[in-house]
Amino acid sequence: MREPPIRGPQLPADALDRILTARPEAAGLPAEAYTSAEVHAFEQELLQRRGWVCLGRTDQVAERGAQRALTVAGEGVLVVRDTETVGVFVNACRHRGHELVRSGCAVRRATVWCAYHAWVYRLDGTLRAAPRFGDLAERDPVGMGLTPVRSEEWHGFLFVNLSGDAPSLAATAGNLGPLLEAYEPAGLIRTAEHEYEVSANWKLLVENYLECYHCPSTHPELSKVQRTTHGLDFEDRGLWLGGYLDLDNDAVSMSLDGRGPDWRFPGLDEERARQVCYHALLPGLFITAMHDYLVVHRIQPLAADRTRVVCEVLFPRALLDLGTDPGYAAEFWDVTNRQDWQACESVQRGITRPGFTPGPLAPEEEGLGRFLATMAFLYRSGRSPSASWPTPAAYPGALRTAATAGTTAGRQAR
Ligand code: FES
Ligand SMILES: [Fe+2]
């Protein structure tokens, strides 16, 4: 059963309504949306607990018995690889709640084992042994087993839905799944991982990702290898937003010097191979797809003004087998990431200054405007995420252009 709507946070209703009905004249969210502990708690409940959150790649628990303890919306979960499947459980022993693996740590064991009184669980979560409890493990291995958390694998990514009642992940991601298939994401190899802690609200990172209006001034290196003004927003059906921009004519790849392998995923035609495709699956997975590799950002809100980001570079096996050194991608995105985080931190400081009033959005910021409208809708409705939003019907004024037809592209925007 779906959980009921929750009361939205105390934000100026007129500012939210302006975003919902009068874009693009209306501008950003009120500053409190980026600073208030109440808004943060609301978003944690509605988006992180009731939505689908990406925990990473399934190959991070590749071998049987691999176990990782992670935190989602303040709750501890344990990811466990069995022979064929990956399971996710509440990271608490069924006896008296001791953590099974310390949060943030990874182990590899033949069983899940509690260090407190030595209860033992199989890798599928069922209870195998409880010392001095007689035949408890034989009598009720499932009932006394680990508490499962709803999870799904999607293109090599592992997602959880803590509340257990979100629409399916496939429905939530909508047409993003089919769009990504050409990049064969399930089989990609992780070649680099960078972690950052950004002193800014997570929404500023999403907003920043959804526009390249800032690129010429913020990213000198990126602006040499990718065109920053010609592109299209995708016709997104599902809980995601995105668009693409073309590689510069003189660039082969997204790298600091524009050089890279003259190779493309077999499923891409020549035109698509020249596109840098940006996709933000809400609330926190950015997938940037290019002809030779993918870069993925996972966005984890830690507090109203603090966000953890994990950035991973994923390469196709076929390209690595040709002897390609994938370092050019990690180097390029680390430079670009740091520029972005610096900008987001500066915005966080700026919008919270007394007297700041949000200004209008540029035409290139259409995608970001749609994200703001989505958030304004959430604050107003308190409704859980579902595959049916954002939709033009939910806020017709805000999404006046979204119904534009197209196979992958909707409208000129970037
Ligand atoms: S709390 Fe785990 S065995 Fe007692
Ligand atoms: Fe950027």
Side-chain angles (χ1 to χ4, degrees), residues 8 64 82 103 116 136 155 159 173 215 217 226-227 233 260 266 274-275 291 312 326 332 361 364 386:
R64 186 169 191 275
D82 201 348
S103 185
Y116 200 7
L136 177 68
H155 293 291
F159 284 75
C215 292
S217 44
Q226 178 206 270
R227 299 174 75 181
D233 275 3
R274 298 291 301 166
Q275 295 168 355
H291 68 90
E312 294 163 313
F332 175 83
L361 299 177
E364 290 95 330
S386 80

Side-chain angles (χ1 to χ4, degrees), residues 189-320:
I189 311 289
R190 203 156 31 91
T191 59
E193 177 178 318
H194 288 128
E195 194 175 318
Y196 310 88
E197 195 172 311
V198 187
S199 298
N201 184 275
W202 70 279
K203 295 188 291 297
L204 293 180
L205 278 66
V206 177
E207 294 171 23
N208 175 74
Y209 183 77
L210 290 173
E211 53 95 356
C212 211
Y213 185 39
H214 71 274
C215 292
S217 44
T218 305
H219 300 304
E221 296 83 3
L222 179 141
S223 302
K224 279 193 207 126
V225 295
Q226 178 206 270
R227 299 174 75 181
T228 55
T229 52
H230 293 269
L232 286 167
D233 275 3
F234 292 127
E235 187 193 350
D236 36 79
R237 292 188 299 276
L239 205 55
W240 68 280
L241 296 155
Y244 71 83
L245 290 156
D246 290 324
L247 274 173
D248 186 85
N249 287 344
D250 295 329
V252 178
S253 180
M254 291 290 268
S255 62
L256 290 176
D257 61 6
R259 286 190 285 199
D262 186 15
W263 181 97
R264 65 175 191 245
F265 288 97
L268 299 179
D269 61 26
E270 216 164 302
E271 189 186 344
R272 212 167 150 206
R274 298 291 301 166
Q275 295 168 355
V276 183
C277 299
Y278 295 87
H279 321 86
L281 178 58
L282 300 178
L285 183 66
F286 304 162
I287 302 173
T288 308
M290 293 145 278
H291 68 90
D292 47 345
Y293 67 91
L294 264 64
V295 64
V296 171
H297 294 82
R298 279 186 288 123
I299 308 296
Q300 184 184 14
L302 299 175
D305 58 356
R306 224 154 35 85
T307 303
R308 178 171 171 263
V309 183
V310 178
C311 175
E312 294 163 313
V313 178
L314 308 176
F315 265 76
R317 161 85 58 202
L319 187 49
L320 296 175

Side-chain angles (χ1 to χ4, degrees), residues 70-402:
L70 303 166
T71 305
V72 184
E75 297 186 23
V77 297
L78 185 67
V79 180
V80 181
R81 163 69 72 176
D82 201 348
T83 311
E84 295 292 333
T85 55
V86 178
V88 183
F89 306 96
V90 174
N91 186 14
C93 178
R94 285 303 305 284
H95 176 218
R96 280 179 41 217
H98 191 278
E99 265 184 331
L100 297 155
V101 175
R102 196 188 169 117
S103 185
C105 295
V107 298
R108 188 173 171 219
R109 294 194 189 113
T111 57
V112 178
W113 180 73
C114 178
Y116 200 7
H117 312 95
W119 281 31
V120 180
Y121 304 86
R122 295 179 189 86
L123 298 175
D124 64 3
T126 54
L127 182 66
R128 197 178 92 172
R132 298 199 282 286
F133 263 89
D135 65 349
L136 177 68
E138 288 79 50
R139 268 191 294 115
D140 196 6
V142 176
M144 292 313 296
L146 299 178
T147 308
V149 174
R150 187 180 179 207
S151 64
E152 278 193 40
E153 290 183 42
W154 183 83
H155 293 291
F157 297 98
L158 178 66
F159 284 75
V160 287
N161 164 231
L162 294 177
S163 69
D165 67 350
S168 73
L169 182 56
T172 303
N175 63 338
L176 179 56
L179 253 184
L180 290 177
E181 263 159 28
Y183 302 95
E184 304 164 20
L188 297 176
I189 311 289
R190 203 156 31 91
T191 59
E193 177 178 318
H194 288 128
E195 194 175 318
Y196 310 88
E197 195 172 311
V198 187
S199 298
N201 184 275
W202 70 279
K203 295 188 291 297
L204 293 180
L205 278 66
V206 177
E207 294 171 23
N208 175 74
Y209 183 77
L210 290 173
E211 53 95 356
C212 211
Y213 185 39
H214 71 274
C215 292
S217 44
T218 305
H219 300 304
E221 296 83 3
L222 179 141
S223 302
K224 279 193 207 126
V225 295
Q226 178 206 270
R227 299 174 75 181
T228 55
T229 52
H230 293 269
L232 286 167
D233 275 3
F234 292 127
E235 187 193 350
D236 36 79
R237 292 188 299 276
L239 205 55
W240 68 280
L241 296 155
Y244 71 83
L245 290 156
D246 290 324
L247 274 173
D248 186 85
N249 287 344
D250 295 329
V252 178
S253 180
M254 291 290 268
S255 62
L256 290 176
D257 61 6
R259 286 190 285 199
D262 186 15
W263 181 97
R264 65 175 191 245
F265 288 97
L268 299 179
D269 61 26
E270 216 164 302
E271 189 186 344
R272 212 167 150 206
R274 298 291 301 166
Q275 295 168 355
V276 183
C277 299
Y278 295 87
H279 321 86
L281 178 58
L282 300 178
L285 183 66
F286 304 162
I287 302 173
T288 308
M290 293 145 278
H291 68 90
D292 47 345
Y293 67 91
L294 264 64
V295 64
V296 171
H297 294 82
R298 279 186 288 123
I299 308 296
Q300 184 184 14
L302 299 175
D305 58 356
R306 224 154 35 85
T307 303
R308 178 171 171 263
V309 183
V310 178
C311 175
E312 294 163 313
V313 178
L314 308 176
F315 265 76
R317 161 85 58 202
L319 187 49
L320 296 175
D321 285 349
L322 292 173
T324 304
D325 177 354
Y328 67 93
E331 184 184 36
F332 175 83
W333 285 100
D334 187 42
V335 168
T336 306
N337 285 336
R338 289 175 193 279
Q339 293 163 340
D340 277 326
W341 312 151
Q342 215 169 60
C344 292
E345 289 180 343
S346 178
V347 173
Q348 179 79 27
R349 292 191 297 272
I351 56 174
T352 51
R353 300 247 152 92
F356 169 75
T357 316
L361 299 177
E364 290 95 330
E365 294 171 305
E366 175 76 19
L368 125 72
R370 298 182 61 213
F371 170 64
L372 297 180
T374 301
M375 293 311 300
F377 176 73
L378 278 190
Y379 298 141
R380 291 293 266 149
S381 71
R383 284 232 307 267
S384 299
S386 80
S388 63
W389 66 263
T391 67
Y395 25 87
L399 292 182
R400 63 194 157 65
T401 57

